[in-house]
PDB file of all heavy atoms in Angstrom:
ATOM      1  N   VAL T 169      -3.734-130.273 -47.748  1.00 96.00           N
ATOM      2  CA  VAL T 169      -2.755-130.466 -46.670  1.00 96.00           C
ATOM      3  C   VAL T 169      -3.400-130.620 -45.294  1.00 96.00           C
ATOM      4  O   VAL T 169      -2.698-130.738 -44.293  1.00 96.00           O
ATOM      5  CB  VAL T 169      -1.725-129.313 -46.636  1.00 96.00           C
ATOM      6  CG1 VAL T 169      -0.927-129.261 -47.931  1.00 96.00           C
ATOM      7  CG2 VAL T 169      -2.404-127.967 -46.366  1.00 96.00           C
ATOM      8  N   GLY T 170      -4.727-130.643 -45.239  1.00 93.00           N
ATOM      9  CA  GLY T 170      -5.395-130.788 -43.957  1.00 93.00           C
ATOM     10  C   GLY T 170      -5.570-129.464 -43.241  1.00 93.00           C
ATOM     11  O   GLY T 170      -4.968-128.444 -43.598  1.00 93.00           O
ATOM     12  N   GLU T 171      -6.391-129.489 -42.208  1.00 89.00           N
ATOM     13  CA  GLU T 171      -6.713-128.260 -41.480  1.00 89.00           C
ATOM     14  C   GLU T 171      -5.472-127.613 -40.880  1.00 89.00           C
ATOM     15  O   GLU T 171      -5.332-126.400 -40.848  1.00 89.00           O
ATOM     16  CB  GLU T 171      -7.731-128.561 -40.385  1.00 89.00           C
ATOM     17  CG  GLU T 171      -8.163-127.344 -39.591  1.00 89.00           C
ATOM     18  CD  GLU T 171      -9.219-127.671 -38.554  1.00 89.00           C
ATOM     19  OE1 GLU T 171      -9.750-128.804 -38.566  1.00 89.00           O
ATOM     20  OE2 GLU T 171      -9.508-126.791 -37.722  1.00 89.00           O
ATOM     21  N   ARG T 172      -4.531-128.434 -40.379  1.00 90.00           N
ATOM     22  CA  ARG T 172      -3.357-127.892 -39.694  1.00 90.00           C
ATOM     23  C   ARG T 172      -2.092-127.937 -40.560  1.00 90.00           C
ATOM     24  O   ARG T 172      -1.005-127.604 -40.086  1.00 90.00           O
ATOM     25  CB  ARG T 172      -3.127-128.645 -38.385  1.00 90.00           C
ATOM     26  CG  ARG T 172      -4.287-128.542 -37.412  1.00 90.00           C
ATOM     27  CD  ARG T 172      -3.985-129.231 -36.096  1.00 90.00           C
ATOM     28  NE  ARG T 172      -5.099-129.147 -35.181  1.00 90.00           N
ATOM     29  CZ  ARG T 172      -5.357-128.095 -34.397  1.00 90.00           C
ATOM     30  NH1 ARG T 172      -4.546-127.043 -34.429  1.00 90.00           N
ATOM     31  NH2 ARG T 172      -6.395-128.091 -33.591  1.00 90.00           N
ATOM     32  N   GLY T 173      -2.217-128.388 -41.802  1.00 94.00           N
ATOM     33  CA  GLY T 173      -1.050-128.486 -42.665  1.00 94.00           C
ATOM     34  C   GLY T 173      -0.611-127.139 -43.218  1.00 94.00           C
ATOM     35  O   GLY T 173      -1.310-126.129 -43.082  1.00 94.00           O
ATOM     36  N   ARG T 174       0.554-127.141 -43.845  1.00 95.00           N
ATOM     37  CA  ARG T 174       1.102-125.918 -44.434  1.00 95.00           C
ATOM     38  C   ARG T 174       1.203-126.059 -45.941  1.00 95.00           C
ATOM     39  O   ARG T 174       1.656-127.087 -46.439  1.00 95.00           O
ATOM     40  CB  ARG T 174       2.488-125.615 -43.854  1.00 95.00           C
ATOM     41  CG  ARG T 174       2.478-125.201 -42.389  1.00 95.00           C
ATOM     42  CD  ARG T 174       3.881-124.879 -41.906  1.00 95.00           C
ATOM     43  NE  ARG T 174       3.882-124.429 -40.532  1.00 95.00           N
ATOM     44  CZ  ARG T 174       3.701-123.155 -40.152  1.00 95.00           C
ATOM     45  NH1 ARG T 174       3.502-122.231 -41.076  1.00 95.00           N
ATOM     46  NH2 ARG T 174       3.715-122.819 -38.878  1.00 95.00           N
ATOM     47  N   LEU T 175       0.794-125.032 -46.637  1.00 96.00           N
ATOM     48  CA  LEU T 175       0.938-125.009 -48.086  1.00 96.00           C
ATOM     49  C   LEU T 175       2.391-124.763 -48.467  1.00 96.00           C
ATOM     50  O   LEU T 175       3.194-124.277 -47.664  1.00 96.00           O
ATOM     51  CB  LEU T 175       0.053-123.918 -48.681  1.00 96.00           C
ATOM     52  CG  LEU T 175      -1.464-124.163 -48.600  1.00 96.00           C
ATOM     53  CD1 LEU T 175      -2.221-122.882 -48.881  1.00 96.00           C
ATOM     54  CD2 LEU T 175      -1.886-125.269 -49.565  1.00 96.00           C
ATOM     55  N   ALA T 176       2.739-125.117 -49.699  1.00 96.00           N
ATOM     56  CA  ALA T 176       4.112-124.952 -50.194  1.00 96.00           C
ATOM     57  C   ALA T 176       4.576-123.508 -50.042  1.00 96.00           C
ATOM     58  O   ALA T 176       3.798-122.563 -50.216  1.00 96.00           O
ATOM     59  CB  ALA T 176       4.179-125.370 -51.658  1.00 96.00           C
ATOM     60  N   ARG T 177       5.866-123.360 -49.748  1.00 94.00           N
ATOM     61  CA  ARG T 177       6.418-122.007 -49.628  1.00 94.00           C
ATOM     62  C   ARG T 177       6.351-121.252 -50.945  1.00 94.00           C
ATOM     63  O   ARG T 177       6.315-120.014 -50.972  1.00 94.00           O
ATOM     64  CB  ARG T 177       7.869-122.089 -49.156  1.00 94.00           C
ATOM     65  CG  ARG T 177       8.032-122.537 -47.709  1.00 94.00           C
ATOM     66  CD  ARG T 177       9.474-122.444 -47.275  1.00 94.00           C
ATOM     67  NE  ARG T 177       9.627-122.815 -45.875  1.00 94.00           N
ATOM     68  CZ  ARG T 177      10.789-122.782 -45.224  1.00 94.00           C
ATOM     69  NH1 ARG T 177      11.898-122.397 -45.871  1.00 94.00           N
ATOM     70  NH2 ARG T 177      10.854-123.129 -43.948  1.00 94.00           N
ATOM     71  N   SER T 178       6.339-121.994 -52.041  1.00 94.00           N
ATOM     72  CA  SER T 178       6.287-121.351 -53.365  1.00 94.00           C
ATOM     73  C   SER T 178       4.890-120.896 -53.750  1.00 94.00           C
ATOM     74  O   SER T 178       4.699-120.252 -54.784  1.00 94.00           O
ATOM     75  CB  SER T 178       6.818-122.322 -54.425  1.00 94.00           C
ATOM     76  OG  SER T 178       6.040-123.514 -54.439  1.00 94.00           O
ATOM     77  N   ALA T 179       3.873-121.251 -52.931  1.00 96.00           N
ATOM     78  CA  ALA T 179       2.498-120.872 -53.260  1.00 96.00           C
ATOM     79  C   ALA T 179       2.333-119.354 -53.211  1.00 96.00           C
ATOM     80  O   ALA T 179       2.874-118.678 -52.334  1.00 96.00           O
ATOM     81  CB  ALA T 179       1.528-121.541 -52.290  1.00 96.00           C
ATOM     82  N   ARG T 180       1.587-118.823 -54.182  1.00 96.00           N
ATOM     83  CA  ARG T 180       1.315-117.391 -54.260  1.00 96.00           C
ATOM     84  C   ARG T 180      -0.171-117.138 -54.092  1.00 96.00           C
ATOM     85  O   ARG T 180      -1.002-117.859 -54.641  1.00 96.00           O
ATOM     86  CB  ARG T 180       1.769-116.828 -55.609  1.00 96.00           C
ATOM     87  CG  ARG T 180       3.272-116.675 -55.738  1.00 96.00           C
ATOM     88  CD  ARG T 180       3.684-116.345 -57.158  1.00 96.00           C
ATOM     89  NE  ARG T 180       2.715-115.479 -57.840  1.00 96.00           N
ATOM     90  CZ  ARG T 180       2.652-115.329 -59.162  1.00 96.00           C
ATOM     91  NH1 ARG T 180       3.499-115.994 -59.943  1.00 96.00           N
ATOM     92  NH2 ARG T 180       1.773-114.524 -59.695  1.00 96.00           N
ATOM     93  N   LEU T 181      -0.498-116.110 -53.330  1.00 96.00           N
ATOM     94  CA  LEU T 181      -1.890-115.743 -53.131  1.00 96.00           C
ATOM     95  C   LEU T 181      -2.420-114.962 -54.331  1.00 96.00           C
ATOM     96  O   LEU T 181      -1.734-114.091 -54.867  1.00 96.00           O
ATOM     97  CB  LEU T 181      -2.045-114.893 -51.874  1.00 96.00           C
ATOM     98  CG  LEU T 181      -1.963-115.610 -50.529  1.00 96.00           C
ATOM     99  CD1 LEU T 181      -2.097-114.592 -49.396  1.00 96.00           C
ATOM    100  CD2 LEU T 181      -3.032-116.677 -50.407  1.00 96.00           C
ATOM    101  N   ILE T 182      -3.642-115.304 -54.731  1.00 95.00           N
ATOM    102  CA  ILE T 182      -4.324-114.565 -55.786  1.00 95.00           C
ATOM    103  C   ILE T 182      -5.766-114.343 -55.358  1.00 95.00           C
ATOM    104  O   ILE T 182      -6.265-115.006 -54.447  1.00 95.00           O
ATOM    105  CB  ILE T 182      -4.321-115.326 -57.138  1.00 95.00           C
ATOM    106  CG1 ILE T 182      -4.931-116.733 -56.959  1.00 95.00           C
ATOM    107  CG2 ILE T 182      -2.931-115.400 -57.723  1.00 95.00           C
ATOM    108  CD1 ILE T 182      -5.210-117.431 -58.252  1.00 95.00           C
ATOM    109  N   THR T 183      -6.434-113.429 -56.007  1.00 94.00           N
ATOM    110  CA  THR T 183      -7.862-113.240 -55.766  1.00 94.00           C
ATOM    111  C   THR T 183      -8.646-114.081 -56.766  1.00 94.00           C
ATOM    112  O   THR T 183      -8.130-114.456 -57.831  1.00 94.00           O
ATOM    113  CB  THR T 183      -8.265-111.774 -55.920  1.00 94.00           C
ATOM    114  OG1 THR T 183      -8.076-111.380 -57.291  1.00 94.00           O
ATOM    115  CG2 THR T 183      -7.420-110.880 -55.017  1.00 94.00           C
ATOM    116  N   ALA T 184      -9.887-114.362 -56.427  1.00 91.00           N
ATOM    117  CA  ALA T 184     -10.741-115.107 -57.353  1.00 91.00           C
ATOM    118  C   ALA T 184     -10.884-114.359 -58.676  1.00 91.00           C
ATOM    119  O   ALA T 184     -10.921-114.969 -59.750  1.00 91.00           O
ATOM    120  CB  ALA T 184     -12.109-115.338 -56.719  1.00 91.00           C
ATOM    121  N   GLU T 185     -10.938-113.031 -58.611  1.00 91.00           N
ATOM    122  CA  GLU T 185     -11.122-112.220 -59.815  1.00 91.00           C
ATOM    123  C   GLU T 185      -9.902-112.290 -60.734  1.00 91.00           C
ATOM    124  O   GLU T 185     -10.038-112.194 -61.957  1.00 91.00           O
ATOM    125  CB  GLU T 185     -11.398-110.768 -59.430  1.00 91.00           C
ATOM    126  CG  GLU T 185     -12.716-110.531 -58.702  1.00 91.00           C
ATOM    127  CD  GLU T 185     -12.687-110.989 -57.252  1.00 91.00           C
ATOM    128  OE1 GLU T 185     -11.577-111.174 -56.689  1.00 91.00           O
ATOM    129  OE2 GLU T 185     -13.783-111.179 -56.688  1.00 91.00           O
TER     130      GLU T 185
END
Side-chain angles (χ1 to χ4, degrees):
V169 298
E171 182 177 351
R172 299 183 181 277
R174 291 182 178 273
L175 291 165
R177 290 186 178 182
S178 59
R180 285 170 35 198
L181 285 178
I182 55 169
T183 65
E185 294 75 18

